[in-house]
Structures are given as C-alpha cells and as structure tokens.
Amino acid sequence: MTRHLPNDDDISAFRQALQAAGVRRIASNQANPGKLKRNDIDALQARRQAAIESNALQASGRTSDGRVEAVRPSEYLEFSVPDLPWRTFSQLKRGQTAWQAGLDLHGYTLEEARIELESFLRDAAAQGMRCVLVVHGKAWGTTSDFPVLKSHTNAWLREWPGVLAFCSATDIDGGTGAVYILLRKRGQ
C-alpha cells in the first residue's frame, strides 16, 4: 500500500482551515493533570468545604485514614475487581484508556490529600467520567521511610466503591508516581 503525501496546496488549505477554526499551537508538550492554579484558591476552598460536608453526609464512602502497607517509590501499583474483563484492565495498564481529568496531590498534607481525592472521585463519577489520572508522587515523607501519599493512595483506592481498577501510569503520564483509575459506570 502506498501512502499519499499531500502537496503544498493541500497543506496550505489545511493550515488555513485550522487558523479559521481558531486552533492554536500548544505551548508545551506535557500533560496537564489538572492541578489548580494559584488564582483558583477560592475554588479550592469551596471544593474542600464541599468535601467536608459531603463526608459528613456520606460516611459510608469515606476512605480509611488508618495505617497502610508501605510501598516502594518505584513499585508498580495495580488493582482490579475480580470480574473486570482482562482486556479492559490490559488496556488501562498500557495507557490505552484515555483519562478525562487529573488530580495532582503534590503539596497536600495526608488529610488534605484524602479529602481532595475523595472529592475528585465523587466529582468525576457525577460527571460520568470513565478514567482519571491521579499524581501521588513517590517522594518519601518527612517523618517516614516510605512514600506516604503513594502508599495511602494505594490503600484508599482499593476501598473506594466506585473504583473498578487502577494501575501505575505509563512513563509519559508520570510512571510509578501516578495512577490511572477506571471508574464504575453509573448503574454498574
């Protein structure tokens, strides 16, 4: 099979169509995990307050804040419910399931990270999202000899009722410092 190479007229017409549609060149070639910008402090405070109120109303969906099993910084994380099709989990592990929103937990205390994660998962489920990305990092805690946020994220996600599966991301999305999370569809 031979490949058709566009001529200069085709390329010019394509570029004009892109310009007419308002398409702009991206500034960087990096994924945006959705971390809030500094000017979104009010939104962050509103989200935290909503999470606190939601936790008071929905204690059953709350993740534990107890002791967790420590994981190594470079350890690959994976989990799936027993009846998840192998192919679906395999696609998630290869990064072939597009994630629709992201959360970066860097800079949060353990309690803030738990609240943010719970709120993010509730929001994603309410919006009917299927796959999301959470960046937990893999740095050791200041008072621990293991990556605290990574270890707790691993435990919290296993407990969350709306999580069908999760696994460490591919290198382009953060590697073992992030996880793809496959969420349960509504009514599933």
Side-chain angles (χ1 to χ4, degrees):
M1 176 178 220
T2 60
R3 186 172 172 196
H4 169 73
L5 296 175
N7 61 30
D8 290 340
D9 291 337
D10 290 342
I11 293 172
S12 178
F14 180 72
R15 287 186 178 151
Q16 287 175 355
L18 288 176
Q19 187 175 16
V23 175
R24 295 175 292 137
R25 185 177 297 272
I26 59 173
S28 78
N29 191 19
Q30 293 181 343
N32 178 0
K35 186 169 182 176
L36 295 174
K37 309 266 187 290
R38 291 262 184 226
N39 58 358
D40 289 339
I41 298 299
D42 292 336
L44 175 63
Q45 290 172 341
R47 188 172 177 186
R48 283 186 180 157
Q49 184 60 34
I52 292 169
E53 291 169 6
S54 178
N55 283 338
L57 297 173
Q58 272 190 318
S60 63
R62 187 168 192 233
T63 55
S64 74
D65 50 5
R67 296 176 56 89
V68 298
E69 182 180 336
V71 296
R72 294 181 315 278
S74 61
E75 185 172 340
Y76 184 88
L77 302 179
E78 68 177 23
F79 163 84
S80 74
V81 294
D83 58 343
L84 185 72
W86 173 85
R87 183 177 181 155
T88 303
F89 192 43
S90 180
Q91 288 172 332
L92 183 71
K93 288 172 29 173
R94 289 193 309 262
Q96 294 175 334
T97 306
W99 51 276
Q100 299 157 293
L103 173 67
D104 188 346
L105 296 176
H106 284 102
Y108 290 114
T109 66
L110 188 59
E111 180 63 16
E112 290 171 340
R114 186 182 57 76
I115 290 169
E116 285 297 313
L117 179 63
E118 290 175 354
S119 177
F120 175 70
L121 292 174
R122 278 193 195 95
D123 291 348
Q127 295 175 35
M129 293 182 186
R130 183 73 169 142
C131 182
V132 295
L133 175 77
V134 171
V135 179
H136 48 66
K138 47 189 176 178
W140 293 13
T142 55
T143 59
S144 303
D145 58 351
F146 63 93
V148 176
L149 285 179
K150 180 175 182 173
S151 298
H152 278 80
T153 299
N154 182 41
W156 294 333
L157 291 176
R158 290 170 189 271
E159 297 171 353
W160 194 258
V163 172
L164 289 175
F166 67 87
C167 64
S168 291
T170 59
D171 288 341
I172 198 163
D173 285 328
T176 56
V179 287
Y180 298 126
I181 304 169
L182 188 65
L183 299 173
R184 193 175 299 278
K185 292 179 185 174
R186 283 188 177 168
Q188 193 177 26

